[in-house]
Amino acid sequence: MSDPSIRPQSELTPGDFTAAENPFALFAEWLAEANKSEPNDPNAMALATVDPDGLPDVRMVLMKGYDEHGFVFYSHIASQKGRELAANPKAALLFHWKSLRRQIRIRGTVTPVTDTEADAYFATRPKQAQIGAWASKQSQPLESRFAFEQAIAKVAARHLVGDVPRPPGWSGWRITPSRIEFWHDRPFRLHDRIEFRRDTPDHPWIKTRLYP
């Protein structure tokens, strides 16, 4: 006789997400739900890279766009993440939505966005954030907060009027996934997991259900 406490739940999502065939469509559904339930930054994702010695490095960044070609974020090219991606253009992402008890793991190759894409996104940022991008030497040693505030003031003085152009050392990257895993919490650690795999972006996705 089966244990009634681990019977399949009738509703995990609006429909059974493990029946999904398109990972990007399923991602869009989950992100839309996260936009309603997460108190802060539902587009936040952990970005993992490796340094020249092969030591993993991870930090939180904000996804600023996605489509069937991949997931996009922006930062300074000379930052630690930028240098690591230039040397080894592969990365992993993790979205974790505690309010929904869900996570999505993504692995793939990384390419820079075009200048046109970077210019278009930079133009949407608040002016103070644009100024900060010029003032910050991201990941470099900083002697004091006061020194940073002075740098911000100098940049702001140069751009009192008019648009702030994109700094030459500021751009973005697109992670084109070869693996996307969707994970949903279940009682007693009996979670639901499905993974989509493809060898190249031109190949069809192969879906596999995984043990928790």
Side-chain angles (χ1 to χ4, degrees), residues 45 47 61-65 70-79 81-83 85-86 89 91 93 109-122 125 133 138 166-176:
M45 59 187 185
L47 167 69
V61 299
L62 296 179
M63 180 191 69
K64 291 300 183 179
F71 302 84
V72 176
F73 72 95
Y74 294 88
S75 187
H76 286 266
I77 296 171
S79 66
K81 70 178 81 69
R83 297 194 303 271
L85 289 172
L93 303 174
T109 56
V110 181
T111 54
V113 302
T114 65
D115 287 343
T116 300
E117 289 175 294
D119 287 340
Y121 172 67
F122 190 80
R125 287 166 62 96
Q138 195 174 99
R166 176 173 63 91
W170 190 97
S171 189
W173 296 264
R174 175 175 287 102
I175 293 88
T176 301

Side-chain angles (χ1 to χ4, degrees), residues 55-135:
L55 186 65
D57 212 353
V58 66
R59 76 288 285 164
M60 299 301 296
V61 299
L62 296 179
M63 180 191 69
K64 291 300 183 179
Y66 75 95
D67 56 23
E68 68 276 7
H69 301 296
F71 302 84
V72 176
F73 72 95
Y74 294 88
S75 187
H76 286 266
I77 296 171
S79 66
Q80 190 165 352
K81 70 178 81 69
R83 297 194 303 271
E84 290 172 355
L85 289 172
N88 187 357
K90 298 177 183 179
L93 303 174
L94 173 65
F95 292 87
H96 179 215
W97 296 307
K98 294 182 70 174
S99 63
L100 297 174
R101 295 182 177 273
R102 295 175 184 166
Q103 61 180 334
I104 300 176
R105 299 171 60 204
I106 298 165
R107 303 172 71 197
T109 56
V110 181
T111 54
V113 302
T114 65
D115 287 343
T116 300
E117 289 175 294
D119 287 340
Y121 172 67
F122 190 80
T124 69
R125 287 166 62 96
K127 188 169 185 177
Q128 193 66 22
Q130 294 175 334
I131 290 170
W134 277 96

